[in-house]
Amino acid sequence: MKRKILFLSALLFLTACEEENNEREFLKFYGDAREDIGYSIAMADDGYLICGELSIITRTPEEGIVADSSRMGIIKTGFDGNTIWKKSFGGRFEGIGSKVVVLDDGSIICTGYIVDPDPDNNPATEKQETDIFVVKLNADGSGALEKRFVSPWNQAGCDILQTDEGFIILATTDVGQSDAESSGNIEGKKDILLLRLNTN
């Protein structure tokens, strides 16, 4: 009899766990009519944060979609997957968010890159360059601080780590270099880049 009661108790416990897990399962889609891509996800106290590239769509009543471009974007969802807010960054520059991190105080930091379509202020050259881009904002998506690190050739933020002094960004660069500590980097070939930031 005791064995039967233990078996029934275990069965009820497993059934309850299964029902609880089923309630947490969801399948959600985020995005607009064009490409929207997520590259990183982080968990906050009250949900999830997704960063990547979000389509910015321009529509007219007469013509429908007339233009689209991509911006670094962050989506905040609840634990049920429902969108709480969605924001894009970088102003007129196209860009991508590669990594999002929730900080100890609940604020959010994201790194990636933005594309400068005319770095030399000369439209005739048709030259484009990417710059490391960092966004820090409050837990509710307000108070965004945006920082662009302009340098020659192409740099892109890939990952970000919080430290006691601030942050370290792991990035790539294709700028040509030569120094005593390495064999140098041929211009246009990618190297690893570390960028240290203070808390400001």
Side-chain angles (χ1 to χ4, degrees):
M1 182 69 172
K2 190 182 282 186
R3 191 178 293 171
K4 197 173 196 179
I5 291 170
L6 285 173
F7 175 75
L8 288 172
S9 298
L11 187 61
L12 287 171
F13 174 76
L14 291 172
T15 304
C17 288
E18 188 176 318
E19 286 175 3
E20 185 179 334
N21 288 337
N22 284 338
E23 288 174 3
R24 293 175 183 266
E25 292 174 0
F26 60 81
L27 176 65
K28 301 281 184 178
F29 295 87
Y30 310 93
D32 211 321
R34 301 298 169 92
E35 283 197 342
D36 299 273
I37 303 171
Y39 292 106
S40 174
I41 187 167
M43 189 162 68
D45 290 339
D46 56 350
Y48 305 106
L49 292 147
I50 302 165
C51 82
E53 56 180 305
L54 299 179
S55 293
I56 305 299
I57 305 294
T58 304
R59 294 180 172 91
T60 66
E62 301 80 27
E63 302 175 67
I65 295 174
V66 293
D68 72 288
S69 58
S70 295
R71 298 285 184 278
M72 173 193 275
I74 299 176
I75 300 170
K76 171 72 180 288
T77 77
F79 287 122
D80 58 3
N82 292 332
T83 301
I84 297 172
W85 50 259
K86 178 171 77 169
K87 295 186 179 290
S88 59
F89 308 94
R92 65 185 179 89
F93 296 108
E94 295 198 4
I96 288 174
S98 302
K99 180 71 174 186
V100 64
V101 173
V102 178
L103 305 178
D104 297 338
D105 63 359
S107 61
I108 301 154
I109 193 163
C110 179
T111 189
Y113 67 83
I114 55 175
V115 180
D116 188 343
D118 185 19
D120 300 326
N121 293 318
N122 182 3
T125 64
E126 297 184 359
K127 182 181 177 184
Q128 289 191 347
E129 288 181 356
T130 61
D131 295 318
I132 295 170
F133 189 55
V134 179
V135 174
K136 188 172 184 291
L137 57 159
N138 299 324
D140 62 1
S142 66
L145 301 172
E146 301 182 14
K147 179 77 176 175
R148 174 185 173 203
F149 298 90
V150 181
S151 54
W153 289 81
N154 298 286
Q155 282 68 233
C158 304
D159 201 352
I160 189 164
L161 175 70
Q162 186 175 21
T163 68
D164 292 339
E165 297 81 22
F167 307 97
I168 296 285
I169 293 177
L170 173 65
T172 62
T173 180
D174 66 358
V175 69
Q177 303 178 64
S178 61
D179 58 48
E181 295 181 6
S182 74
S183 59
N185 185 44
I186 299 170
E187 197 171 85
K189 300 293 184 183
K190 288 183 179 176
D191 262 357
I192 296 168
L193 172 70
L194 286 181
L195 173 65
R196 175 176 288 174
L197 308 180
N198 61 28
T199 53
N200 298 319

